[in-house]
């Protein structure tokens, strides 16, 4: 089984991240109280130190919920041709467009890109623009209109 994304974190780190994912403005004193109820005694200063270290070792990624907005999350799966540097060239072009998340790797697609879409016409224009990029072979899209998130599974703790 693959290692969970929190392998390098201890129980206290996972609890803190879980609390902050519910409400990023939770005071350190409240976090301290919640930790104490779970058997972990830590001062607000100790929590501040841990949060600072967590922010240095993780990326802040705010995923606004499409359920409460008038827009949708557009996710593209892009396959590029075998030309030298095609993947890098396509990623560079995508970075000039309104895609706020662009990743590449190895698998059934070459590039994964995410942006917000205000309408179905916006989706069509966006996917057509990506299909027109030199080196792009195919584009599949998924329009996220609803999301269910369980951060306890992402930040598992002994009580999850």
């Amino acid at each position: 089984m693959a290692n969970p994304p929190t392998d390098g974190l201890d129980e206290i780190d996972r609890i803190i991240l879980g609390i902050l994912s519910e409400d990023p403005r939770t005071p350190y004193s409240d976090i301290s109280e919640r930790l104490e109820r779970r058997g972990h005694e830590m001062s607000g200063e100790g929590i501040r130190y841990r949060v600072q270290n967590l922010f240095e070792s993780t990326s802040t990624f705010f995923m606004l919920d499409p359920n409460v907005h008038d827009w949708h999350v557009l996710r593209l799966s892009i396959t590029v041709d075998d030309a030298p540097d095609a993947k890098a060239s396509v990623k560079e072009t995508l970075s000039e467009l309104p895609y706020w998340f662009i990743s590449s790797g190895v698998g059934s697609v070459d590039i994964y890109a995410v942006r917000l879409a205000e309408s179905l016409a916006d989706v069509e224009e966006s996917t057509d623009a990506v299909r027109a990029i030199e080196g792009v072979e195919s584009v599949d899209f998924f329009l996220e209109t609803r999301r269910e998130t369980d951060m306890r599974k992402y930040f598992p703790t002994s009580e999850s």
Side-chain angles (χ1 to χ4, degrees):
M1 181 176 165
N3 294 332
T6 56
D7 262 2
L9 307 176
D10 67 11
E11 178 85 359
I12 294 171
D13 289 335
R14 290 191 297 273
I15 292 170
I16 291 170
L17 285 171
I19 292 168
L20 291 175
S21 72
E22 294 168 8
D23 181 0
R25 296 178 294 180
T26 303
Y28 294 148
S29 59
D30 291 357
I31 295 172
S32 177
E33 290 173 13
R34 288 175 69 176
L35 282 168
E36 188 172 342
R37 287 194 300 264
R38 294 175 79 169
H40 304 286
E41 197 169 323
M42 180 167 283
S43 68
E45 183 61 26
I47 292 168
R48 184 196 65 74
Y49 176 78
R50 279 190 180 245
V51 168
Q52 181 179 355
N53 288 336
L54 287 168
F55 284 156
E56 289 173 3
S57 65
T58 61
S59 63
T60 306
F61 196 74
F62 299 102
M63 287 291 294
L64 299 175
D65 191 347
N67 306 347
V68 295
H69 297 282
D70 292 333
W71 41 259
H72 306 292
V73 178
L74 174 61
R75 302 174 184 278
L76 300 183
S77 299
I78 304 163
T79 304
V80 301
D81 62 31
D82 291 332
D85 298 322
K87 194 183 294 189
S89 176
V90 171
K91 279 181 63 180
E92 184 177 329
T93 302
L94 286 170
S95 71
E96 297 168 5
L97 299 173
Y99 291 91
W100 48 265
F101 181 83
I102 303 168
S103 66
S104 62
V106 177
S108 57
V109 297
D110 296 307
I111 299 173
Y112 181 73
V114 182
R115 67 165 284 184
L116 300 179
E118 296 179 16
S119 65
L120 292 178
D122 189 18
V123 170
E124 187 174 340
E125 289 174 22
S126 297
T127 54
D128 286 347
V130 172
R131 285 184 181 106
I133 297 172
E134 185 177 341
V136 170
E137 282 189 348
S138 68
V139 177
D140 291 318
F141 74 91
F142 174 79
L143 187 62
E144 180 184 340
T145 59
R146 184 151 185 83
R147 177 185 316 134
E148 303 299 325
T149 305
D150 187 345
M151 294 309 288
R152 291 171 300 176
K153 292 179 181 174
Y154 188 72
F155 300 118
T157 63
S158 61
E159 294 180 7
S160 294

